[in-house]
Amino acid sequence: MSNGLLSETQIKYQYQSIPSTIDEEDDQTEENGIGDTDDEALDDTNENNTSITRNLPLWDITCILSLAFSYGCIMTTLFLITLPVECQRIENQHPSIPKSVALGIFVAISGASNLVTPLLGMLSDTYRPPKHFELGQRMPYFVLGSICSTIGLLGQYVESYEKLWVRYGFFYFATMIGLNVSYAMMLALIPDQVCDGWKAWLVLQEEKAQV
């Protein structure tokens, strides 16, 4: 993982003025008798950026996407097995709370946990690790998400045994936050593997196609 990478928004903001700059340089070169065109300038940019691109090894891609498999397994187990069983236990202990209502509360908690993900994604985009920190800008948030989800799952186990359902809900919320943060960091890692020069060229090509 590379350090100090720009976010997608910063990349587009930084390079959105390049086409106008190229046009100004082309006008100046035409006045000076130089016949470079916009297409030639973009071709040169393509050649320069192609030389600095790299293919991501299959093993690295597999390691990054392996989190999606574990995320899917945990979420499927929670919503198809664990939560229905726990909601039935809640209904048995508190007949005034139907199983469907309890399950709806857990689904609402899961949805609320997703509101934290954009905030932490923005923080990870702007985070710049120290120069001696070679694990990249996403790793601190990976660790945070892993710790949060681990504590949440252990807490769910303990509070389920004790039948303390309010505390169980808090630990379930922590589990969802940890899982969603880790999954968001996994998605952010994929574009991070593309070098900044190639991202800039892609932005130029997109803007050229829209003209």
Side-chain angles (χ1 to χ4, degrees):
M1 286 179 286
S2 58
N3 294 334
L5 289 176
L6 298 175
S7 67
E8 292 293 335
T9 303
Q10 291 170 322
I11 287 287
K12 190 164 184 179
Y13 177 80
Q14 180 176 350
Y15 291 98
Q16 65 183 359
S17 61
I18 291 182
S20 59
T21 304
I22 293 177
D23 292 337
E24 294 174 0
E25 291 178 352
D26 289 339
D27 293 339
Q28 184 176 0
T29 53
E30 289 177 358
E31 294 176 358
N32 295 332
I34 302 175
D36 289 339
T37 64
D38 289 347
D39 291 337
E40 292 173 348
L42 288 174
D43 290 340
D44 293 339
T45 305
N46 185 9
E47 293 176 0
N48 292 334
N49 286 290
T50 302
S51 63
I52 60 177
T53 57
R54 60 186 179 88
N55 293 326
L56 191 63
L58 179 61
W59 174 249
D60 290 354
I61 298 175
T62 303
C63 290
I64 293 174
L65 297 181
S66 63
L67 180 62
F69 176 76
S70 58
Y71 177 86
C73 290
I74 294 174
M75 296 296 287
T76 301
T77 303
L78 278 175
F79 283 97
L80 294 183
I81 301 176
T82 304
L83 290 181
V85 172
E86 299 292 19
C87 291
Q88 183 62 56
R89 296 179 64 201
I90 293 175
E91 184 180 19
N92 294 338
Q93 185 178 354
H94 303 281
S96 60
I97 304 178
K99 177 181 177 180
S100 58
V101 173
L103 186 59
I105 293 174
F106 284 117
V107 172
I109 292 174
S110 178
S113 67
N114 286 319
L115 300 177
V116 181
T117 305
L119 175 61
L120 291 180
M122 181 188 67
L123 292 176
S124 69
D125 285 341
T126 57
Y127 173 71
R128 295 296 176 265
K131 294 182 179 179
H132 62 276
F133 189 74
E134 299 180 355
L135 296 179
Q137 67 186 115
R138 311 293 181 185
M139 184 57 66
Y141 297 91
F142 262 126
V143 174
L144 176 64
S146 300
I147 293 175
C148 190
S149 58
T150 301
I151 293 175
L153 288 172
L154 291 176
Q156 284 182 250
Y157 174 77
V158 174
E159 302 306 333
S160 175
Y161 179 78
E162 298 292 338
K163 295 183 178 181
L164 299 175
W165 302 114
V166 175
R167 294 183 182 179
Y168 183 91
F170 281 110
F171 282 111
Y172 173 76
F173 183 64
T175 301
M176 290 294 99
I177 289 179
L179 290 175
N180 289 328
V181 168
S182 299
Y183 188 77
M185 295 304 106
M186 181 209 70
L187 295 179
L189 273 176
I190 299 174
D192 282 351
Q193 308 310 309
V194 182
C195 64
D196 290 343
W198 186 247
K199 289 179 183 178
W201 181 80
L202 292 176
V203 172
L204 285 176
Q205 295 299 311
E206 181 182 356
E207 293 183 349
K208 180 183 177 183
Q210 294 175 355
V211 174

